[in-house]
Amino acid sequence: GNSVTQMEGPVTLSEEAFLTINCTYTATGYPSLFWYVQYPGEGLQLLLKATKADDKGSNKGFEATYRKETTSFHLEKGSVQVSDSAVYFCALSGGGGATNKLIFGTGTLLAVQP
Amino acid sequence: DGGITQSPKYLFRKEGQNVTLSCEQNLNHDAMYWYRQDPGQGLRLIYYSQIVNDFQKGDIAEGYSVSREKKESFPLTVTSAQKNPTAFYLCASSIEVDGNYGYTFGSGTRLTVV
C-alpha cells in the first residue's frame, strides 16, 4: 500500500541555519503531497502542498518540490527561527489509494535554538 | 469562523470504562476522520466517514467505534476493548475541490487512562 517515510528527529538547529527534512513516498499512482506542522499541544496545520510532479509548494519561507523521479518531497527553509520549533509531518493522499485518505509519515521534531 | 471543534481538550478515564470523544465541524465538509497520535509513530487512521450514516475502518479500528448520524458530527468511542487507549486523538474533515482534497484538523483531545 501507499506509505510515507520521513527522516527521524529530533533535528536541532541554531537560529538562521538552513533546514532540510527529507520525505520519500511509495504510491502506485500520482498522489498529492503535503507538509503539516504541529505546534506543542495543538492540532495539525497545513504548511504547504503540491498536487502534481514538479510542482513547488511554498509558505512562510518553507518550500518543497514534488519530485516524481525520486519519489520525494523534501522540506526546506533557508533560515529557521525559534518560532519554527514544532513537529513536521509529511503526508500523501490519492496515488492508487483511497483519494481522500491522508497517510502520514512518523513526524520530525525540529528544535531551533537562539 | 468555520472550523472543527474537539472536546474536551484533556480527558481522564479509569481503565475498563468506555469514553466518547466529541468532534463537530461547521465547514459543510462531507468526509470526516479520526486519527490517533503516539510518540514516534505519527498519525494512524482509526475510522473515516465519507457521507452521513456511512463509515469505514481505518488501520487501527479495533477497540473503537464511531457514528455519523449528522454531517456535522463524528463522535469516537474508545471502548474497554482498546488495550492501550492513552494517546492524543485528532479529528479531521475534508472537502473535494476540482479533484483535490483540502483537510482541516481539530486541536485534539489528549486521553489518559489510569
Side-chain angles (χ1 to χ4, degrees), chain A residues 11-15 17-20 80 110-114:
Chain A
V11 174
T12 303
L13 297 173
S14 297
E15 207 164 20
F18 184 86
L19 168 71
T20 299
V80 294
L110 170 65
V112 181
Q113 299 175 337

Side-chain angles (χ1 to χ4, degrees), chain A residues 69-93:
Chain A
E69 62 275 13
T70 55
T71 61
S72 65
F73 193 55
H74 304 322
L75 182 68
E76 296 181 336
K77 186 175 186 182
S79 175
V80 294
Q81 306 300 312
V82 172
S83 58
D84 293 326
S85 298
V87 180
Y88 292 82
F89 291 94
C90 185
L92 69 79
S93 70

